[in-house]
Amino acid sequence: MSFFLKLISVSEAKAKIREIAGETYPQKVTLSEAYDRVLASDVLSDADVPGFSRSIVDGYAVVSKDTTGAGESIPTMLEYLGRVEMGTPAQIKLTPGTCAYVPTGGNVPDGADAVAMVEYSEALGDEVLIFRPMSNGENIVFADEDFAKGSPVMKKGTTLKPQECGVLASLGKEEVEVFKKPVIGIISTGNELVPVSKEPGFGKVRDVNTYLCSGFVKRCGCIPKIYGVIPDERDELREAIRLATEECDAVLISGGSSKDERDNTSSIIKELGEVLIHGIAISPGKPTIIGTATGKPVIGLPGHPASAYIVLYVLVSELLYKMQMKAVTNNTITTTLLENIPSAQGREDYVRVKLSDDGAKPLYAKSGLLNTLIKSDGMVKIPSGSEGLEAGSLVEVILW
Amino acid sequence: MSFFLKLISVSEAKAKIREIAGETYPQKVTLSEAYDRVLASDVLSDADVPGFSRSIVDGYAVVSKDTTGAGESIPTMLEYLGRVEMGTPAQIKLTPGTCAYVPTGGNVPDGADAVAMVEYSEALGDEVLIFRPMSNGENIVFADEDFAKGSPVMKKGTTLKPQECGVLASLGKEEVEVFKKPVIGIISTGNELVPVSKEPGFGKVRDVNTYLCSGFVKRCGCIPKIYGVIPDERDELREAIRLATEECDAVLISGGSSKDERDNTSSIIKELGEVLIHGIAISPGKPTIIGTATGKPVIGLPGHPASAYIVLYVLVSELLYKMQMKAVTNNTITTTLLENIPSAQGREDYVRVKLSDDGAKPLYAKSGLLNTLIKSDGMVKIPSGSEGLEAGSLVEVILW
């Protein structure tokens, strides 16, 4: 007796999710909002950067040939022509036998081809001693050396880390074209649920999945839009799903996990669009629904929070990252499994584990319990072709 | 000839930074804002969760002893008393020889001590066949089994991941006491700098460090407050530092990196507070200043963005995480070093590397260049007591 005629493999489910993830739209943001966003178009340099020959040290601009053979005991003596001020073009022009002081970042005067650090020089009134031979180009960044005008700097799809934001600043990109952050609608349904603000009467429990899902949506860089607890009545639930799929880029619906409720969710999705997958060879998470409604991706999650969480990690993450043109990334750690984990072949099992210095210990618990969710450090995957994992073997733990 | 009389070791600098990080204040946020925040107080359960005996499957509540010896060929036959509705107290009371239907999440009736899954049962009008022996407590979560009233659930200092947000919802915590997000003031100084919005004239460059720092501050979970480019004039810079240290929880100042400018920043900090460290045995990053002004931590960063970035990662991260009561965490990967990296003893060297399938290749570049910042994938640390790392050795790459 199974509710599901045919279980779909996790990899097929992931492929279907990527297929329905839909278009991603660009938007412009200011550079100060650009951190951690994803570039929607290539970035070229509009000009040479830094745009002028710049010293990277405090020191004396010189003609490098003048310093050939210079050393601690036989310094080169050069005529001192003056000082270049920061932020202004050098007014000085060097000829062989002369030098000028340049601060770090200052313009290297015409005629100079190296800057000797102050540490290797000594000022003597109108003259300067240089104690080291300099090579052509030493301690200078040339006008187009960082980014030449018209050259490609960053590719579409780049996630903007702090250093990319810094480089965009150097290129004068006050605004940046990034992909819009997907807005993900979150619906919890079930007649046993009350919102967090309410005292649950006997027989009811507070809605956990709204906060589980909204935290996860934020973790993946998207914006959650909470629709709250919707009674598991056909009209109310249909109206909520219709509204959420109109207002959002994708919708997560977690139901109470009884058979009747699942059927309600699935038949409403059918009415508003299409149920593509119902029943996946994953444990926990078998009753997961993948479909579209009002043209938007919809994922129906199990009602048990601990099961819903595995489905968020394994399947929903595919949707949320694809919608931002990012690859799914997880933090993992490889460690020793401390107990055998048996598994049924033909499904992918995910078992929560607790880490210690010795390794990873599986945490088994009744599926309705929340406490193992916060006691565990991550999960271990048992592939569908495996009968389980043996104590002592090395396993990859996907960290929460 | 060194500007710095005494270089402080990186570990001493980190200890000093943690020392000045200062108090962290609690604030209340709503649960939907709580994701990724840090708990400022322990969380206890105010009530038993789930609060009533709950079935974790769809099936028949039974008296387990009735099913002793049940099997596929010799099922136990029980009298069917009716159905428990979701979200309401069970109105039925079981006696030996009877059963009642309970949906997943429904209240298990008094008298029952197990729930047999529908998969292992068959309804026959007024009677139900159970095909498996059930044990006491099977498929039931008891009233206080998840969290008992008064029991500790989460500790002060816990970072709220999605699952912690879910559990807080189950406990009815509409508001959560978390540590205030530190506001970090960001000042760029240097007469060669223009804001990103301006065309730099010859001899000037755009301010990179403001965006490098503000992205990094966000990455560490803090709020950047940008003060922009401040001319390297004593009065203006002092006024900016005074204002920023008054308005923010800590301040980052990155100067042009010439000697004169560093001296300006350092002497203003001295005037408004104390310079605790000036000169650290780290490369790049030697001229870093650590101090306090107006009672707030202040860090003076090198002007070269590539140097500033190393100091952000190695030292400023200590400040930003400590201010949130978090431990510094980095993503690392262990791989083969592809080229020798020589290093001077007595200082910690950080060398940017580019990763490939073969391993990590050091990226050397003139310190004034930005492009290696975005070409590198992370950095390798060479400890202060080492003369360098050999090609072929395994190294830990700290990923950006």
Side-chain angles (χ1 to χ4, degrees), chain A residues 32 140 163 218 309 366, chain B residues 32 140 146 163 218 309 366:
Chain A
S32 57
I140 298 178
Q163 56 265 53
K218 283 186 188 175
Y309 203 55
K366 293 179 182 167
Chain B
S32 57
I140 297 178
D146 218 347
Q163 56 265 55
K218 285 187 186 177
Y309 203 54
K366 292 177 183 170

Side-chain angles (χ1 to χ4, degrees), chain A residues 208-232:
Chain A
V208 166
N209 284 347
T210 288
Y211 297 94
L212 199 65
C213 290
S214 71
F216 190 80
V217 162
K218 283 186 188 175
R219 178 189 170 278
C220 297
C222 301
I223 300 168
K225 187 168 164 71
I226 294 175
Y227 289 85
V229 177
I230 308 294
D232 190 26

Side-chain angles (χ1 to χ4, degrees), chain B residues 2 41 86 118 132 206 337 345 353 372:
Chain B
S2 171
S41 50
M86 277 300 271
V118 284
R132 262 185 53 168
R206 291 195 184 88
L337 186 64
Q345 277 184 308
V353 295
T372 53

Side-chain angles (χ1 to χ4, degrees), chain A residues 83-398:
Chain A
R83 182 187 166 95
V84 174
E85 291 302 322
M86 277 298 271
T88 60
Q91 306 292 347
I92 299 161
K93 199 174 151 49
L94 292 203
T95 48
T98 65
C99 71
Y101 182 84
V102 190
T104 304
N107 181 205
V108 177
D110 280 353
D113 68 347
V115 181
M117 287 174 80
V118 282
E119 283 86 337
Y120 303 113
S121 64
E122 193 177 340
L124 296 171
D126 288 347
E127 268 141 5
V128 174
L129 300 179
I130 305 291
F131 294 96
R132 262 184 54 165
M134 302 301 298
S135 58
N136 185 348
E138 197 168 345
N139 294 331
I140 298 178
V141 167
F142 294 101
D144 64 352
E145 194 173 345
D146 218 347
F147 303 105
K149 184 173 178 174
S151 65
V153 177
M154 284 171 220
K155 288 213 171 114
K156 176 179 168 175
T158 302
T159 299
L160 301 173
K161 298 187 294 297
Q163 56 265 53
E164 275 85 14
C165 297
V167 167
L168 289 168
S170 78
L171 302 174
K173 308 291 181 191
E174 276 182 277
E175 281 197 331
V176 188
E177 195 176 58
V178 296
F179 290 120
K180 185 178 166 295
K181 274 196 181 198
V183 176
I184 311 297
I186 294 168
I187 294 172
S188 267
T189 182
N191 292 333
E192 81 283 22
L193 298 181
V194 300
V196 61
S197 56
K198 290 247 171 75
E199 198 63 44
F202 191 93
K204 295 195 194 283
V205 291
R206 290 196 183 88
D207 166 32
V208 166
N209 284 347
T210 288
Y211 297 94
L212 199 65
C213 290
S214 71
F216 190 80
V217 162
K218 283 186 188 175
R219 178 189 170 278
C220 297
C222 301
I223 300 168
K225 187 168 164 71
I226 294 175
Y227 289 85
V229 177
I230 308 294
D232 190 26
E233 310 298 340
R234 209 174 155 75
D235 289 349
E236 285 187 69
L237 187 54
R238 182 177 49 223
E239 179 51 23
I241 295 177
R242 195 198 53 70
L243 183 68
T245 48
E246 274 179 25
E247 293 181 339
C248 303
D249 300 304
V251 177
L252 306 178
I253 306 159
S254 67
S257 50
S258 83
K259 183 180 173 234
D260 301 346
E261 286 164 3
R262 272 205 300 271
D263 282 352
N264 228 355
T265 302
S266 133
S267 77
I268 292 168
I269 295 174
K270 235 173 238 159
E271 212 181 304
L272 298 173
E274 198 179 352
V275 170
L276 298 161
I277 291 173
H278 189 181
I280 298 176
I282 184 173
S283 173
K286 188 169 81 169
T288 300
I289 301 168
I290 295 167
T292 58
T294 328
K296 305 285 177 60
V298 172
I299 298 188
L301 302 167
H304 280 319
S307 307
Y309 203 55
I310 299 291
V311 175
L312 286 170
Y313 252 90
V314 178
L315 297 170
V316 175
S317 60
E318 292 285 338
L319 180 69
L320 302 185
Y321 282 98
K322 177 65 165 42
M323 290 178 83
Q324 302 171 84
M325 308 291 271
K326 288 185 186 180
V328 176
T329 51
N330 282 311
N331 290 332
T332 59
I333 186 172
T334 300
T335 189
T336 308
L337 186 63
L338 298 177
E339 292 175 14
N340 291 335
I341 304 181
S343 170
Q345 277 185 307
R347 68 175 193 209
E348 255 181 49
D349 269 3
Y350 287 87
V351 175
R352 279 160 279 162
V353 294
K354 173 90 192 149
L355 294 175
S356 66
D357 290 346
D358 298 333
K361 185 178 179 307
L363 280 191
Y364 297 108
K366 293 179 182 167
S367 59
L369 289 179
L370 295 167
N371 64 52
T372 53
L373 262 182
I374 57 169
K375 284 180 185 159
S376 61
D377 298 304
M379 62 181 183
V380 166
K381 167 180 157 179
I382 299 115
S384 68
S386 160
E387 287 180 4
L389 300 174
E390 279 188 26
S393 58
L394 281 180
V395 289
E396 193 180 59
V397 178
I398 300 165

